[in-house]
Amino acid sequence: MKASRKWTALAAILLAVLAVSMDGTILSVAVPTLATELKASEAQLQWFSAGYFLVLAAGILPAGRLGDRFGRKKLLVISVALFGLGSIACAISTTPTEFLIARLVLGLAGSGIVVMAVSAIVAVFDEAQRARAIGLFSAANFLALPLGPILGGWILTHYWWGWVFLINAPLTVVGLVATIALVPESRAPIPPRFDPIGIVISTIGLVSLTYGFIDAGQNGWGSPGALGCMTGGVLVMAMFLLWERAETRRGNDPLLDLSLFALRSFTWGAILSFLGGLTMIGVLFVMPQFFQGVLGTDAISSGLRLLPLLAGLVVGALMAEKVAKLLGWRLTCVAGFVVAAIGLLLGASTDPRSSALFIAVWMFVYGLGLGLVTATAASAALVKLERERSGAGSAIVQLIQKIAAPLGSAVLGSAVSAVYLSQLHLAGYPASVASAARASVFGGVAVARSLRSASLVAMVRGAFTSGLQMSLLVSACLALTGVILAIVFMPGRREMQSILSTAHRDVNESEDVVATSSGTVHRPA
């Protein structure tokens, strides 16, 4: 494929990825409107988000297998089309049940898109170009973070709420047409077995584990439901790993290709990418609430204040390839985590008196470090991946990254909640006032204003600010953990060059096999 056609194909893929990534962030600003328009209960509102993530997590491994077996382009096209239809179904829903079903469809389609997008990158680009393509893929994911709240807030302010979801339609249409025209079809040379038992076990385990994380984030780590689901999920996933190992010994095609974990760059690239994503959840969880609940901004202004983070992420992701060539994967990840930790430690001193410039600077610094880490780690995980196993390998990397969202929300949300509640001193206030203040910073500020109590407003905002500071400190500790893991386990510069040269030789041999099978004269050694 010509170079220009490759990059145009990548642009088509990224449009679909942008639609998936933006959908989750747009929902966060649409929840209050959905509660009114659909007459949805609090539990139903929680399921609008939780259901999406459950189906997304459960569908990732089967999506990789389906793409390897039946064709990655074919599955990508079906997934993009299904995502567009699901978005339309969300917009025209009139009841919570209809909306939830549409959200589940979006989760299923999203799992196919995110896995096949990465798989298509592996199939289209050789290792010399893959790092840059992965950097652009990361930048597209990052772009959705502030773009979703900004667009969503603007639409909700001026237009019918359904346009929040219909905005995905033009993205999916353009992405669909361009994918059909530009992305080449690819599949495993020998179609892998479907492994229905592995799919059932992994689905049960991932749904249970993910729901446990979501429940822990909502009701605390001591919640019987959260503990039961997490424990059950861990046990079922252990059974899944035993089943996959047995399938490997029997010479069958396991759903989870355990041989990929023999590649140190794959294993630790995926883990470090996951750890970087975990730190980001803390920032995305607390900063919009700080902007709106403490500083009093609206949804649009809150999204705009995330732009320095986006700028840092994009700059870091785009410069990761050059930095990695100069320093190697290990030192690039170390440098990225160090820079991210510095940004987070600066951010931990944020309070209501902090200037907009100070907040913008530390968010940019943090984003710069995170962009370096995620693009480099993802590139390290995927660079050695053979095209025949790109579906299975991409599914593993995406699964590890997607689990970061509910886990990060549970861990960091619990840190915020614990500190927030400990800082509230509500003795003497009516039970209804105390209940509203404990529920959230928004509820606390609203009830304090209704009482015209400046002292209660200050207490609620101060308590949440303390929770924000603790959350960013925990995220900084996670980043410093990434520094240690990168130093100990990530391949260094010489090993990186060896892996790249081996990957290049493997690509040439693969192309020779394809050329020979099509009747072309085999290239001399």
Side-chain angles (χ1 to χ4, degrees):
M1 182 188 294
K2 292 181 179 180
S4 59
R5 188 179 176 89
K6 287 183 180 181
W7 295 107
T8 306
L10 177 63
I13 294 169
L14 296 186
L15 281 175
V17 171
L18 180 63
V20 174
S21 300
M22 202 165 59
D23 182 76
T25 56
I26 280 183
L27 183 69
S28 63
V29 299
V31 163
T33 303
L34 293 174
T36 303
E37 295 291 335
L38 300 179
K39 297 180 174 57
S41 66
E42 185 65 29
Q44 289 169 328
L45 292 174
Q46 291 173 359
W47 269 105
F48 291 163
S49 177
Y52 174 82
F53 281 114
L54 290 176
V55 175
L56 181 67
I60 282 177
L61 288 178
R65 175 53 54 93
L66 287 170
D68 284 346
R69 182 177 178 86
F70 297 109
R72 298 167 191 127
K73 174 181 177 178
K74 186 182 298 181
L75 183 59
L76 180 59
V77 167
I78 293 172
S79 298
V80 172
L82 188 61
F83 194 87
L85 292 174
S87 298
I88 295 172
C90 282
I92 63 176
S93 296
T94 57
T95 67
T97 301
E98 292 176 0
F99 188 82
L100 177 58
I101 292 173
R103 292 292 297 171
L104 298 179
V105 171
L106 287 180
L108 182 64
S111 64
I113 290 173
V114 295
V115 175
M116 289 303 103
V118 178
S119 178
I121 290 173
V122 173
V124 170
F125 294 94
D126 60 32
E127 80 288 346
Q129 301 170 315
R130 200 172 293 168
R132 186 179 306 168
I134 292 296
L136 291 170
F137 174 81
S138 301
N141 276 293
F142 297 150
L143 180 63
L145 302 178
L147 190 59
I150 292 170
L151 283 177
W154 181 75
I155 290 171
L156 290 170
T157 302
H158 297 94
Y159 298 102
W160 171 56
W161 68 269
W163 284 109
V164 167
F165 302 98
L166 288 178
I167 195 173
N168 289 330
L171 291 177
T172 54
V173 168
V174 175
L176 185 64
V177 172
T179 299
I180 293 172
L182 299 171
V183 177
E185 181 62 280
S186 64
R187 58 172 58 87
I190 301 176
R193 196 173 62 87
F194 200 60
D195 190 12
I197 295 177
I199 289 175
V200 171
I201 298 174
S202 67
T203 299
I204 294 172
L206 287 170
V207 167
S208 179
L209 196 61
T210 305
Y211 183 76
F213 292 149
I214 293 171
D215 190 76
Q218 294 171 348
N219 301 312
W221 290 89
S223 165
L227 290 174
C229 287
M230 287 188 289
T231 302
V234 169
L235 293 175
V236 173
M237 289 307 294
M239 291 173 53
F240 171 65
L241 292 177
L242 291 174
W243 169 261
E244 296 300 283
R245 175 180 280 183
E247 285 289 273
T248 302
R249 284 200 300 265
R250 286 191 288 264
N252 296 328
D253 294 312
L255 181 65
L256 184 67
D257 191 348
L258 297 174
S259 67
L260 289 171
F261 292 99
L263 302 172
R264 195 151 63 102
S265 62
F266 177 85
T267 302
W268 289 101
I271 290 174
L272 292 179
S273 181
F274 162 79
L275 195 59
L278 209 58
T279 69
M280 183 170 59
I281 298 303
V283 177
L284 294 180
F285 181 81
V286 298
M287 292 312 296
Q289 294 184 71
F290 176 76
F291 292 143
Q292 295 180 55
V294 177
L295 300 185
T297 66
D298 57 20
I300 299 176
S301 298
S302 176
L304 290 172
R305 286 170 182 257
L306 292 174
L307 287 177
L309 172 62
L310 167 65
L313 287 165
V314 172
V315 171
L318 294 180
M319 67 186 291
E321 179 189 9
K322 292 182 179 179
V323 177
K325 285 181 179 179
L326 181 65
L327 302 179
W329 290 329
R330 177 189 295 160
L331 290 181
T332 302
C333 285
V334 168
F337 274 122
V338 168
V339 172
I342 291 172
L344 290 167
L345 290 172
L346 287 172
S349 64
T350 299
D351 62 36
R353 297 178 303 243
S354 298
S355 68
L357 177 61
F358 171 76
I359 295 174
V361 168
W362 77 252
M363 290 183 74
F364 177 84
V365 171
Y366 165 69
L368 180 66
L370 183 63
L372 276 173
V373 167
T374 52
T376 302
S379 178
L382 297 171
V383 71
K384 179 62 177 167
L385 202 60
E386 294 97 339
R387 293 176 180 177
E388 304 83 55
R389 298 192 292 175
S390 62
S394 301
I396 295 172
V397 173
Q398 287 298 310
L399 176 62
I400 293 173
Q401 291 179 346
K402 294 306 178 217
I403 289 177
L407 176 58
S409 296
V411 172
L412 298 164
S414 297
V416 173
S417 179
V419 174
Y420 174 70
L421 293 176
S422 71
Q423 297 292 312
L424 292 177
H425 307 291
L426 299 169
Y429 287 97
S432 59
V433 173
S435 176
R438 291 191 182 102
S440 70
V441 62
F442 300 105
V445 169
V447 75
R449 285 178 172 170
S450 69
L451 296 174
R452 298 182 180 179
S453 174
S455 61
L456 183 55
V457 170
M459 181 197 300
V460 169
R461 288 175 170 172
F464 184 82
T465 300
S466 296
L468 174 149
Q469 292 167 348
M470 177 56 68
S471 175
L472 295 181
L473 284 174
V474 172
S475 294
C477 290
L478 291 172
L480 293 175
T481 301
V483 172
I484 297 171
L485 293 178
I487 291 173
V488 176
F489 296 108
M490 200 64 175
R493 189 169 185 272
R494 289 183 180 179
E495 190 174 352
M496 180 193 80
Q497 291 174 339
S498 175
I499 290 171
L500 290 174
S501 62
T502 304
H504 182 68
R505 185 168 61 251
D506 291 343
V507 169
N508 288 340
E509 290 172 354
S510 174
E511 290 174 349
D512 285 343
V513 170
V514 172
T516 302
S517 64
S518 62
T520 306
V521 177
H522 193 286
R523 220 170 16 192

